[in-house]
Amino acid sequence: MVILISDAFDDQLNETLKAFGEVTTDKSRQSEAEIILIRSKTKVTREYIDASPNLRMVIRGGVGLDNVDQVYASEKGIIVKNTAEASTTAVAELAFALMIALPNHIARADLSMKEGKWLKKELKRTELFGKTLGILGLGRIGLGMALRARAFFMNVVGWNPHIQGSEFVELCPTLENMLNRSDYVSIHLPLQESTKGIINKETLKSFKHGAYLINTGRGGCIVEDDVVEALKSGQLAGYATDVWNTDPPENSPLINAPNCIFTPHIGASTKENMGRIGKIVERLIGNYINEMQEKPVS
Ligand code: NAD
């Protein structure tokens, strides 16, 4: 059995998986692979699947499966798995780091010092204490963000039409109501039809003037041009994002927009998380092999 590691995983994984079969990182061997490991870089499209006649299982190291054509994979009998629970801490910590960095002007202060400037008077900070954080996407990572925000004595509200209540977050009746109450809004949504462009010209009108937006969900959840307009008008005081329409961004208007902090999709990329993902991958492949061995020969 050929296992293709198509994207970046823990260095150890290559060795560990040798117990299950021949492990390769050589993408030209895609057509031989029975199991392919991906993160966000490899796009498992219809064409990719058609070019992989031996493929039986795709494992996405991470959460979002928007880079996999799940419908076509299912038609072809290909099992698609992710390592959903592994990344929660890593992403929640990055989202929180971005939320602290925005009102404290960490990036601008650092850059100005390196440019020989002394912006002591210009850089006016504000505190998180007592402010309201609105969470869009109250799943694993959204909840992780909520718990961290409560430790900083923030009020935490959220909006999620799929859940009835939450122990740690006050649920708002509508998205508009949540946006209207929040000094900070943090996106923790998957990219799907209902979330695509959910932050746009219209919904930005419901934000408090001067609110901050943090996005570690997906780039496609916001309309970039509309967020840039809101930053220029001051409707948004700042935007921090780890996620983009493409990795890396191509001609994104955000790059030159004011009051932004950017990271290159590193939400899941902690050393600890790579280890956790590796363990889950190992377990998934072990289970797959066991199931194959138990299947009666027809
Ligand atoms: P999760 O499935 O636990 O949570 C997603 C939540 O969004 C669920 O509670 C769901 O009910 C809610 N939701 C779905 N559609 C909605 C809608 N239209 N309106 C409001 N809520 C809606 O997933 P998670 O582990 O918390 O991850 C969330 C997302 O974070 C992933 O889907 C992925 O896009 C992103 N992510 C990013 C990185 C990164 O590197 N920056 C890493 C991992 C995950």
Side-chain angles (χ1 to χ4, degrees):
M1 176 173 73
V2 175
I3 302 171
L4 169 62
I5 302 182
S6 185
D7 292 337
F9 280 79
D10 189 83
D11 293 341
Q12 298 285 313
L13 195 61
N14 201 314
E15 276 308 306
T16 322
L17 296 184
K18 281 184 182 160
F20 299 116
E22 189 186 345
V23 184
T24 179
T25 53
D26 178 359
K27 292 186 188 187
S28 70
R29 298 189 62 194
Q30 178 191 330
S31 63
E32 294 171 64
E34 185 168 335
I35 297 177
I36 300 185
L37 308 189
I38 62 162
R39 290 190 59 213
S40 53
K41 196 171 176 193
T42 301
K43 313 291 177 212
V44 183
T45 57
R46 176 178 274 265
E47 294 71 31
Y48 186 96
I49 290 171
D50 284 340
S52 316
N54 289 309
L55 187 57
R56 293 289 164 270
M57 177 152 85
V58 173
I59 304 178
R60 157 75 160 102
V63 185
L65 283 166
D66 41 292
N67 54 332
V68 179
D69 186 334
Q70 292 181 72
V71 175
Y72 194 55
S74 162
E75 273 174 35
K76 292 280 179 182
I78 296 165
I79 303 163
V80 178
K81 299 277 185 191
N82 63 4
T83 61
E85 64 274 28
S87 304
T88 305
T89 299
V91 186
E93 286 192 6
L94 181 70
F96 206 81
L98 292 172
M99 185 166 73
I100 296 180
L102 277 171
N104 288 295
H105 310 299
I106 302 286
R108 198 174 152 214
D110 176 64
L111 185 66
S112 64
M113 292 297 291
K114 288 167 184 165
E115 288 172 345
K117 295 177 189 155
W118 185 250
L119 301 184
K120 190 173 168 70
K121 281 196 188 120
E122 289 85 345
L123 295 177
K124 301 209 181 333
R125 300 169 47 231
T126 54
E127 297 170 1
L128 298 181
F129 182 95
K131 302 292 187 326
T132 297
L133 166 66
I135 296 186
L136 205 39
L138 280 170
R140 287 171 294 256
I141 300 170
L143 184 62
M145 182 71 168
L147 295 174
R148 285 159 179 79
R150 285 182 53 140
F152 269 62
F153 300 96
M154 297 182 82
N155 308 309
V156 187
V157 297
W159 177 76
N160 188 334
H162 308 296
I163 59 173
Q164 301 305 315
S166 168
E167 204 178 332
F168 303 104
V169 180
E170 182 192 335
L171 288 186
C172 298
T174 62
L175 172 61
E176 286 67 29
N177 177 274
M178 188 202 85
L179 298 175
N180 198 255
R181 293 174 59 182
S182 302
D183 303 293
Y184 293 81
V185 173
S186 190
I187 303 176
H188 300 285
L189 291 166
L191 184 61
Q192 55 197 26
E193 255 341 287
S194 66
T195 61
K196 199 171 168 195
I198 197 166
I199 299 301
N200 56 45
K201 201 184 258 282
E202 276 313 304
T203 48
L204 279 159
K205 286 182 191 156
S206 298
F207 276 63
K208 271 190 188 179
H209 187 78
Y212 288 97
L213 179 63
I214 300 109
N215 190 1
T216 55
R218 279 292 175 264
C221 294
I222 65 141
V223 177
E224 288 190 340
D225 284 330
D226 297 352
V227 166
V228 171
E229 267 320 298
L231 286 161
K232 285 183 180 161
S233 73
Q235 174 66 358
L236 282 181
Y239 177 55
T241 190
D242 182 48
V243 284
W244 303 90
N245 283 331
T246 56
D247 283 358
E250 287 161 16
N251 304 318
S252 170
L254 284 166
I255 295 296
N256 296 313
N259 303 320
C260 290
I261 297 178
F262 304 135
T263 49
H265 202 166
I266 53 171
S269 306
T270 64
K271 181 172 178 274
E272 294 84 350
N273 190 32
M274 289 299 107
R276 284 190 294 270
I277 288 175
K279 289 264 173 272
I280 298 175
V281 167
E282 215 182 313
R283 194 183 71 221
L284 289 170
I285 296 181
N287 290 347
Y288 166 79
I289 289 173
N290 287 342
E291 278 165 29
M292 287 302 116
Q293 282 165 353
E294 282 164 18
K295 252 190 185 166
V297 184
S298 52

